[in-house]
């Protein structure tokens, strides 16, 4: 290319019409390197200052979809009966017993304070109602239960104002708060603390790893600069998005880690391709042009694939999942654009003597390793494919025994005050916060109450139901045992409801079975079932219902983008199948470790609940799929270039490891460090998601990209490169000629295929 022969100094490069827009962008950035780098530093500093408190503007938005029947049941009870699922529970311990005169006065003052300082649907305490379920068997602990009115954000703000009053010793009572509101507040605080710790833990290892990869301090700082810019932009973008829509705090750790990892990966793609061209004898301008035209195109397609795969999760009516989807759509393209703009400016700072400084010691030994490995894989593809696929399937088998649930207070460490309070409530039976209830909207029982009486008797006969209370009385074991509590309204013009006291833990298999049986009991009118077990069941059902649509969108958009990038129909299918293998293996490991508890000591302290939060595999799929496609695009682009140059499939398969192996390994190591830092979190969903992503990326960068990908390319032969000629449109750039599947370099011309 003409621009590559005029000067060895990047800052003097000039584009021509044939160079293309990416090359023109790279040359412009190189010529204005000082302006680009100064503006980058200013923008990053501004984003850090403005976005440092992003978490305080985010919500711990509920995973429960607003369309769930249990959500409607809870809202109906709150609106018409001043009842429903309590979202704030206070445990009060009294050394002299909760029935002592001092404890009675203090308990009533506590309940009155809560009612006056918040906007409650109801506040109910043991000292006002004397309900046995609000007092433990020893007589030293009692409960105050409340339901605060408003959206998740409004309720959280109410609790923040009074939080200090319900922590520690007050009026002789030791108070602790739990329930969905305090749990969300605690999760927000723990996530903020864990994010700072993860950044401190990973900074030095990342810088050291980057220096080992590129052996140049300027080239080490480039990925770190783009990564820091991406992380700062993430916080600022989330804060900006929170001003127009609800954004979950769960998006912070995942989005920040993803943005940093992608920023570093994209910078490495560009930097190491530039170095590869220099080592091949190209001048600086030609090296930059080739890097922008090939690796730059990979960055663009990768950003589109990752963003589109994350956007597909908008189909789920869940605030955290939609927050991550929205964050990905905004942040990933921003990170890709930042890498394409900042890296050429940084490379221009290397000066005319950059060729020597860009050489990496030990490169020949590394190339020999990848060449030998490639030769073994290409010569024996079937003996490589069969045992590798079998091993991955074996890793995935624990996922067949997955049991889905939802995160509760056990996502927090056992030492958290909110968790201690929740454990105390569970030990007391937890009937006020976990039991099912059934709402019959707009239905009133007849004057004799026979139909309601029969319905309540049938419900009370369901296994593990302690009692059923409604307008006609209290029932147990299929018999009426007493009158309803005084002052409790179970029927009015808006309808009728029944409260079920259960002996089953709502998230257990017994709780799920009991819920199914309660729903099977014939009712006198249409019924809405609420309570913790119903919320969980409805949420899992809603997410499962949306999963086929989300997976279809991910698959179709990824296939189309990969087909456009590789000019092949078989290679995208191969990429999707191999990604499914690596993700399935990671899902199996999640179930084996976090659901069953095997190898727990290796991953830090967490509570084994016997189920897997259904959102965790979804988050792993969302993040790891995009990162895997990142590597797949790099691998396929190198294979496509080599095949266009040589028209030999075996040579293309060999080049997959020789050219892509070192870079994919380096990029995966960066991802591993980033998400290993996030995995130190004490919040279980972040820990599980990060470990899952790290495992998926490790499997993908080793077994998939080192063994299966080149072996499958070798086995498929010329079918890899078939693409309908009618879809190849447009003219090839200067120095290229049209071939089946796209454009290739003409013999003797500089540059690389597109």
């Amino acid at each position: 290319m003409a621009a590559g022969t005029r000067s060895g100094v990047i800052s003097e490069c000039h584009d021509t019409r044939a160079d293309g827009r990416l090359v023109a962008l790279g040359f412009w950035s190189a010529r204005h390197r000082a302006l680009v780098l100064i503006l980058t530093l200013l923008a990053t500093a501004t984003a850090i200052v403005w976005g440092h408190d992003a978490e305080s503007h985010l919500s711990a938005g509920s995973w429960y979809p607003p369309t769930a029947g249990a959500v409607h049941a809870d809202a109906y009870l709150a609106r018409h009966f001043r009842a429903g699922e309590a979202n704030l529970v206070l445990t009060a311990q009294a050394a002299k017993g909760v029935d002592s005169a001092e404890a009675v006065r203090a308990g009533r003052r506590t309940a009155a304070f809560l009612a006056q300082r918040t906007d409650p649907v109801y506040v109910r305490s043991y000292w006002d109602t004397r309900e046995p379920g609000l007092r433990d068997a020893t007589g030293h602990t009692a409960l105050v239960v409340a339901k605060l009115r408003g959206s998740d954000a409004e309720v959280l703000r109410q609790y923040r104002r009074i939080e200090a009053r319900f922590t520690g010793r007050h009026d002789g009572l030791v108070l602790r708060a739990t329930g969905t509101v305090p749990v969300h507040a605690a999760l927000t605080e723990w996530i903020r603390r864990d994010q700072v710790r993860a950044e401190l833990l990973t900074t030095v290892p990342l810088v050291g790893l980057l220096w080992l990869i590129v052996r140049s301090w300027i080239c080490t700082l480039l990925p770190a600069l783009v990564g820091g810019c991406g992380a700062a932009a993430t916080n600022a973008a989330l804060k900006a998005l929170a001003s127009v829509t609800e954004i979950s705090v769960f998006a912070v750790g995942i989005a920040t880690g993803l943005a940093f990892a992608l920023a570093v990966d994209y910078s490495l793609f560009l930097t190491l391709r530039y170095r590869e061209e220099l080592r091949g004898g190209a001048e600086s301008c030609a090296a930059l042009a080739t890097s922008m035209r090939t690796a730059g195109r990979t960055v663009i397609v990768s950003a589109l694939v990752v963003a589109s795969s994350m956007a597909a999760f908008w189909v789920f009516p869940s605030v955290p999942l939609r927050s991550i989807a929205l964050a990905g759509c905004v942040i990933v393209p921003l990170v890709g654009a930042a890498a394409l703009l900042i890296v050429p400016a940084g490379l221009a700072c290397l000066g005319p003597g950059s060729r020597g400084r860009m050489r990496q010691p030990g490169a020949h030994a590394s190339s020999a390793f990848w060449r030998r490995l490639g030769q073994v894989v290409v010569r024996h593809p079937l003996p490589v494919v069969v045992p590798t696929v079998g091993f991955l399937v074996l890793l995935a088998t624990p996922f067949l025994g997955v049991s889905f649930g939802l995160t509760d207070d056990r996502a927090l460490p056992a030492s958290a005050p909110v968790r201690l309070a929740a454990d105390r409530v569970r030990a007391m039976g937890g009937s006020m916060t976990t039991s099912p209830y059934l709402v019959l909207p707009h239905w009133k029982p007849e004057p004799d109450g026979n139909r309601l009486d029969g319905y309540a008797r049938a419900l009370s006969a369901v296994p593990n139901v302690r009692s059923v209370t409604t307008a006609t009385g209290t029932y147990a074991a299929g018999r009426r045992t007493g009158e309803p509590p005084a002052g409790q309204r179970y029927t009015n013009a808006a309808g009728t409801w029944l409260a079920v006291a259960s002996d089953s833990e709502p998230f257990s298999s017994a709780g799920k079975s009991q819920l199914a049986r309660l729903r099977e009991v014939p009712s006198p009118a249409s019924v809405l079932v609420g309570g913790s077990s119903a919320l969980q069941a409805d949420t899992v059902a809603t997410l499962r219902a949306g999963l086929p649509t989300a997976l279809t969108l991910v698959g179709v958009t990824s296939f189309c983008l990969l087909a456009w990038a590789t000019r092949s129909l078989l290679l995208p299918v191969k990429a999707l199948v191999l990604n499914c293998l690596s993700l399935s293996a990671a899902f199996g490991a999640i179930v084996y470790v976090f659901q069953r508890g095997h190898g727990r000591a290796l991953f830090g302290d967490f509570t084994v609940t016997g189920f897997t939060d259904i959102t965790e595999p979804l988050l792993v799929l969302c993040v790891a799929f995009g990162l895997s496609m990142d590597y797949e695009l790099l691998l396929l682009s190198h294979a496509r270039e080599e095949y266009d140059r040589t028209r030999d499939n075996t040579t293309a398969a060999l080049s997959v490891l020789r050219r892509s192996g070192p870079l994919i390994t380096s990029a995966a190591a960066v991802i591993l460090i980033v998400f290993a830092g996030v995995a130190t979190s004490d919040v279980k969903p972040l820990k599980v998601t990060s470990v899952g992503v790290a495992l998926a990326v490790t499997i993908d960068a080793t077994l998939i990209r080192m063994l299966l990908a080149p072996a499958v390319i070798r086995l498929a032969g010329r079918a890899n490169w078939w693409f309908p000629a009618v879809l190849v449109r447009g003219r090839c750039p200067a120095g290229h000629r049209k071939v089946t599947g796209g454009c290739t370099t003409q013999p003797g011309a500089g540059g690389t295929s597109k």
Side-chain angles (χ1 to χ4, degrees):
M1 183 177 64
T5 60
R6 280 200 295 266
S7 173
V9 183
I10 300 180
S11 58
E12 298 178 7
C13 299
H14 294 277
D15 60 289
T16 67
R17 182 175 296 275
D19 287 330
R21 295 178 180 177
L22 279 176
V23 176
L25 175 64
F27 286 173
W28 181 90
S29 176
R31 291 197 304 272
H32 302 87
R33 59 192 183 281
L35 175 64
V36 170
L37 294 177
I38 290 173
L39 290 178
T40 297
L41 293 174
L42 289 176
T44 302
T46 302
I48 291 174
V49 172
W50 191 72
H52 77 282
D53 61 343
E55 294 91 342
S56 62
H57 294 263
L58 308 181
S59 76
S62 172
W63 294 97
Y64 306 137
T67 56
V71 174
H72 289 309
D74 189 68
Y76 199 87
L77 276 185
R79 186 165 59 251
H80 298 291
F81 294 95
R82 297 178 63 85
E85 187 85 355
N87 52 21
L88 176 59
V89 180
L90 303 179
T91 63
Q93 293 177 277
K96 297 181 180 180
V98 295
D99 291 314
S100 65
E102 298 89 341
V104 170
R105 288 194 298 269
R108 288 176 175 170
R109 281 196 298 268
T110 298
F113 177 88
L114 180 59
Q116 293 166 3
R117 298 298 181 90
T118 62
D119 181 21
V121 173
Y122 64 81
V123 175
R124 194 159 61 248
S125 75
Y126 164 74
W127 296 280
D128 294 323
T129 66
R130 295 291 171 173
E131 294 180 41
L134 298 179
R135 176 183 177 275
D136 74 344
T138 67
H140 287 87
T141 303
L143 302 181
V144 179
V145 295
K147 183 176 182 63
L148 305 186
R149 194 191 318 271
S151 66
D152 289 333
E154 292 167 345
V155 167
L156 188 58
R157 282 195 293 270
Q158 292 182 56
Y159 175 70
R160 289 292 193 194
R161 293 197 299 266
I162 61 172
E163 182 178 7
R165 176 65 173 77
F166 301 124
T167 304
R169 183 176 296 274
H170 296 274
D171 294 339
L173 297 177
V174 178
L175 299 176
R176 288 195 180 100
T178 189
T180 55
V181 180
V183 167
H184 286 172
L187 284 172
T188 302
E189 183 60 34
W190 281 90
I191 289 173
R192 181 187 297 114
R193 187 185 312 169
D194 291 346
Q195 184 183 6
V196 173
R197 180 176 61 191
E199 291 171 355
L200 293 176
L201 287 175
T202 57
T203 299
V204 174
L206 272 175
V207 172
L209 175 62
L210 291 173
W211 186 84
L212 287 174
I213 293 171
V214 296
R215 300 297 177 94
S216 164
W217 281 114
I218 291 181
C219 293
T220 297
L221 294 176
L222 268 179
L225 174 61
V226 180
C229 180
T234 299
N235 285 334
L238 290 176
K239 182 178 178 180
L241 290 171
S243 65
V244 295
T245 186
E246 186 178 8
I247 299 294
S248 171
V249 70
F250 283 100
V252 175
I254 300 299
T256 303
L258 180 64
F260 188 90
L262 285 177
V264 173
D265 275 3
Y266 293 161
S267 302
L268 284 177
F269 290 175
L270 293 163
T271 302
L272 296 185
R273 182 55 191 262
Y274 175 75
R275 185 185 65 184
E276 180 184 350
E277 293 299 316
L278 284 184
R279 290 172 55 195
E283 294 293 334
S284 298
C285 292
L288 179 61
T290 302
S291 176
M292 293 297 290
R293 194 167 51 239
T294 55
R297 186 169 183 265
T298 300
V299 167
I300 290 177
V301 179
S302 173
L304 290 174
V305 170
V306 176
S308 64
S309 64
M310 297 185 75
F313 286 80
W314 186 261
V315 303
F316 297 110
S318 170
V319 170
L321 288 176
R322 287 194 165 186
S323 299
I324 293 172
L326 186 58
C329 291
V330 173
I331 292 162
V332 173
L334 182 63
V335 166
L340 292 172
L341 187 64
I342 297 170
V343 171
L347 293 176
C349 295
L350 289 170
S354 60
R355 184 187 308 274
R357 293 198 298 273
M358 294 294 284
R359 294 185 184 276
Q360 180 178 349
H364 295 296
S366 175
S367 298
F369 166 77
W370 293 109
R371 185 170 58 253
R372 286 194 297 269
L373 179 61
Q375 289 170 348
V376 172
V377 172
V378 169
R379 288 173 183 170
H380 311 284
L382 273 179
V384 168
V385 169
V386 173
T388 304
V389 171
F391 178 66
L392 291 175
V393 171
L394 181 64
L395 290 179
T397 50
F399 194 61
L400 296 175
V402 67
S403 176
F404 287 122
L406 283 178
T407 292
D408 57 11
D409 59 274
R410 288 170 290 184
L412 291 165
S415 60
V418 171
R419 170 71 184 279
L420 292 172
D423 289 340
R424 186 62 186 161
V425 173
R426 267 190 290 273
M428 294 173 60
S431 60
M432 298 308 300
T433 59
T434 62
S435 293
Y437 47 82
L438 300 98
V439 182
L440 288 74
H442 310 298
W443 183 82
K444 291 190 66 177
E446 300 84 350
D448 58 14
N450 286 340
R451 295 177 68 191
L452 181 60
D453 178 80
Y455 185 46
R457 289 175 187 271
L459 292 173
S460 68
V462 171
N464 296 322
V465 169
R466 189 186 314 147
S467 65
V468 175
T469 305
T470 188
T472 54
T474 300
Y475 300 79
R479 297 181 298 106
R480 187 172 182 272
T481 59
E483 299 295 326
Q488 293 279 9
R489 293 189 308 151
Y490 289 94
T491 186
N492 59 28
T496 301
W497 70 287
L498 305 91
V500 179
S502 172
D503 290 324
S504 298
E505 206 278 331
F507 300 140
S508 66
S509 58
K512 296 175 184 178
S513 175
Q514 182 189 75
L515 176 66
R517 294 195 178 195
L518 289 173
R519 284 176 162 165
E520 291 172 355
V521 174
S523 64
S526 61
V527 62
L528 293 173
V529 183
S532 296
S533 56
L535 281 170
Q536 174 189 250
D538 289 352
T539 301
V540 170
T542 301
L543 294 180
R544 276 179 166 169
L547 190 58
T549 302
L551 293 179
T552 300
L553 290 174
V554 170
V556 170
T557 54
S558 299
F559 175 84
C560 293
L561 288 168
L562 286 174
W564 170 70
T566 62
R567 300 296 190 269
S568 167
L569 296 184
L570 181 62
L571 290 178
V573 174
K574 186 259 317 173
L576 292 172
V577 171
L578 293 185
N579 270 16
C580 289
L581 277 175
S582 63
L583 287 170
S584 298
F587 293 161
I590 287 175
V591 171
Y592 186 78
V593 174
F594 294 100
Q595 179 177 311
R596 300 180 183 176
H598 301 295
R600 177 182 173 188
L602 298 175
F603 298 96
D605 187 28
F606 61 87
T607 301
V608 178
T609 58
F611 63 83
T612 297
D613 188 330
I614 190 172
T615 61
E616 291 163 356
L618 289 176
L619 293 176
V620 172
L621 170 65
C622 179
V623 177
F625 182 88
L627 292 173
S628 297
M629 280 301 178
D630 201 21
Y631 305 148
E632 183 69 18
L633 274 166
L634 181 69
L635 182 148
L636 294 181
S637 64
H638 283 163
R640 176 84 251 185
E641 287 180 39
E642 196 67 19
Y643 182 77
D644 285 345
R645 187 179 66 84
T646 65
R647 313 305 295 173
D648 182 77
N649 184 72
T650 302
T651 303
L654 282 170
S655 75
V656 165
L657 280 176
R658 180 177 56 82
R659 297 183 61 191
S660 304
L663 181 50
I664 289 177
T665 304
S666 301
V670 171
I671 300 289
L672 194 59
I673 289 177
V674 171
F675 281 95
V678 181
T680 62
S681 173
D682 293 314
V683 177
K684 188 180 177 183
L686 280 183
K687 181 187 292 292
V688 176
T689 302
S690 301
V691 170
V693 171
L695 287 174
V697 168
T698 301
I699 292 169
D700 192 86
T702 53
L703 299 179
I704 300 295
R705 306 304 162 203
M706 289 184 183
L707 301 177
L708 283 183
V712 172
I713 290 176
R714 173 68 176 85
L715 287 172
R718 294 182 63 85
N720 287 308
W721 318 107
W722 184 82
F723 195 69
V726 69
L727 298 180
V728 181
R729 298 180 178 178
R731 296 186 303 172
C732 294
H736 294 70
R737 60 185 174 87
K738 183 171 289 189
V739 296
T740 301
C743 300
T744 187
T745 306
Q746 292 181 0
T752 320
S753 64
K754 282 187 76 172

